[in-house]
Amino acid sequence: MVLPSRLREKACATTPDGEVQAVGRIKRLLVDRQIGFISPEDGGDDLYFNAKLLSSQKSWEEFVELAQKYEPGTAPVLFVRNEYQGRTQAKGVIVLEDAELQDLDGDMDGHISSAELAEFLAKNPDLRGASRTKQEVEWQRRQEKWEMEKTRKDKEYEEQQRKYDEEEEVAAKRRDELFKRHEDAEEQLYQKRDAANAEATRMYEEANKLWESGSKDACKNLQAKAKQQQQLARQLKQQAVDLDWKNNEEMFEYVQTEEHKGQTRDGSWIDLHGLSVDFALAKTKDAIEEAQDKGLSELEVITGAGHHSGKGGPRVKPRVVAMFNNKGLSY
């Protein structure tokens, strides 16, 4: 069966990719050059195609073998119009076998309607989805592979992030517990200091009254006891300061070891989480000097979010940045 030279209507159908599949005949086939021209059955200019524009279903050799079963200029094809560099060409070209051609013209009237083409393609879904070239199929395969790999990596990252968040939450909780224990111990000393200062103030006031009443010896004795309370207050304050430094040392070691397990302390990083400003600056200064002695070009300083800094916001980071600026370091 030979397709008529002109159809009564434009026979076309939409592929799963949203492209319009049409019917035509191979007008010329230049085998050695692996190119050809299609005469669309709905009229219009001849359309160029080459081996790379064939449907992915067959090789050039298989395509030629099937096309040459027909008389020259009559081999029926399905194709998709494709715009390339300002001209229209055919792609996804498929040669129909004689049995397929007879099935296509269901009523045998020599005309192919859109309804007949749609019905034919519905019965032959492999042809309806064959408008992709080998390059497009390969690109789609690579794209799907890339998307699968991206999905896998995204899930892997999400899982790692979830585990990291969980570990960070646990670490933060433990750090907060350690900070609270330190804070409570220091607060007890400061409360004792405040009590000693208050007692010294009370004693001085009472001593003044004794002096005014003429009890000068009793006044002097009470003043001596008040001075002892002041000395005790100073001692308690120093104990609190010393304890604060000791607690900072404990916090520092805990963070470096427990929250960075498996990470070598090679002088290229330092974590200041949970530290007081003065202690953090001292450790940062030591870390900078160590990095410079080792000839390191970079030092990672982790300052934390300042959860214990109060309403004023982070206090450690601004001071560390100021230190970098003063030393002329880039960050």
Side-chain angles (χ1 to χ4, degrees):
M1 178 182 290
V2 178
L3 290 174
S5 60
R6 187 169 298 278
L7 303 180
R8 289 182 299 188
E9 62 173 300
K10 184 176 181 179
C12 59
T14 304
T15 70
D17 293 332
E19 298 176 314
V20 178
Q21 207 164 20
V23 184
R25 295 176 295 172
I26 298 177
K27 186 174 182 179
R28 293 178 63 196
L29 190 61
L30 305 178
V31 178
D32 293 339
R33 295 175 60 186
Q34 294 192 339
I35 65 173
F37 297 88
I38 293 174
S39 176
E41 291 304 322
D42 56 7
D45 296 335
D46 293 344
L47 301 175
Y48 165 86
F49 72 94
N50 59 37
K52 292 183 178 180
L53 292 171
L54 298 182
S55 164
S56 62
Q57 291 188 341
K58 296 186 183 298
S59 66
W60 175 258
E61 291 73 22
E62 292 171 328
F63 178 86
V64 170
E65 181 181 355
L66 187 55
Q68 289 180 341
K69 291 181 179 180
Y70 294 89
E71 293 294 325
T74 65
V77 293
L78 292 176
F79 68 92
V80 169
R81 284 182 170 85
N82 181 54
E83 294 296 326
Y84 179 73
Q85 294 185 347
R87 68 174 185 173
T88 304
Q89 60 186 14
K91 81 171 188 72
V93 184
I94 310 167
V95 178
L96 297 175
E97 299 193 26
D98 190 61
E100 292 174 329
L101 181 57
Q102 293 183 34
D103 191 26
L104 176 60
D105 188 14
D107 56 11
M108 305 298 290
D109 64 350
H111 301 284
I112 308 299
S113 66
S114 292
E116 287 176 324
L117 180 57
E119 182 179 354
F120 170 74
L121 292 175
K123 291 190 295 184
N124 297 273
D126 56 326
L127 295 177
R128 183 169 181 264
S131 62
R132 293 179 182 173
T133 65
K134 289 182 179 180
Q135 281 185 326
E136 290 174 327
V137 169
E138 177 61 21
W139 181 88
Q140 182 66 24
R141 186 192 68 79
R142 290 198 303 267
Q143 183 71 11
E144 290 174 353
K145 183 179 179 180
W146 179 84
E147 289 177 354
M148 288 177 61
E149 182 66 12
K150 183 178 181 299
T151 299
R152 184 189 68 78
K153 288 184 177 180
D154 286 346
K155 288 182 178 179
E156 187 177 89
Y157 172 78
E158 289 174 0
E159 179 63 18
Q160 290 176 345
Q161 189 64 36
R162 183 188 65 79
K163 289 182 178 179
Y164 173 80
D165 290 342
E166 289 178 353
E167 292 172 357
E168 180 63 20
E169 184 177 352
V170 171
K173 183 178 179 181
R174 290 175 179 172
R175 194 188 317 130
D176 287 344
E177 291 172 352
L178 182 59
F179 183 87
K180 183 66 166 57
R181 177 164 61 83
H182 290 167
E183 188 178 49
D184 289 345
E186 293 172 25
E187 181 61 24
Q188 289 179 12
L189 289 173
Y190 279 115
Q191 287 178 355
K192 290 180 180 179
R193 180 208 58 181
D194 292 343
N197 279 328
E199 180 64 9
T201 300
R202 186 194 67 77
M203 287 180 174
Y204 275 121
E205 290 176 352
E206 186 176 343
N208 288 336
K209 292 178 181 178
L210 289 172
W211 183 269
E212 292 173 357
S213 65
S215 303
K216 295 184 179 180
D217 290 338
C219 170
K220 292 179 180 179
N221 289 334
L222 196 56
Q223 285 178 335
K225 291 181 180 179
K227 288 181 180 179
Q228 291 176 353
Q229 287 296 318
Q230 287 180 323
Q231 180 63 26
L232 175 61
R234 286 192 290 269
Q235 292 173 351
L236 289 169
K237 179 182 178 181
Q238 187 59 49
Q239 289 176 21
V241 171
D242 293 342
L243 180 61
D244 177 69
W245 200 264
K246 179 182 177 182
N247 288 340
N248 270 279
E249 284 284 5
E250 183 181 357
M251 176 67 77
F252 179 75
E253 288 302 316
Y254 169 80
V255 171
Q256 312 313 296
T257 56
E258 295 300 317
E259 297 188 14
H260 293 273
K261 288 183 178 179
Q263 188 172 354
T264 304
R265 295 174 69 173
D266 55 3
S268 65
W269 62 275
I270 184 174
D271 192 333
L272 305 178
H273 272 100
L275 305 180
S276 66
V277 174
D278 290 341
F279 189 89
L281 292 177
K283 284 297 182 181
T284 302
K285 179 176 178 293
D286 292 343
I288 292 173
E289 292 175 354
E290 181 184 359
Q292 290 173 336
D293 290 342
K294 290 183 176 181
L296 300 179
S297 60
E298 291 185 356
L299 172 66
E300 180 184 9
V301 180
I302 306 169
T303 60
H307 293 309
H308 301 120
S309 297
K311 294 181 179 180
R315 293 185 297 163
V316 171
K317 183 175 181 178
R319 296 289 297 278
V320 170
V321 169
M323 176 185 288
F324 286 169
N325 290 332
N326 291 336
K327 291 180 176 292
L329 301 175
S330 59
Y331 54 91

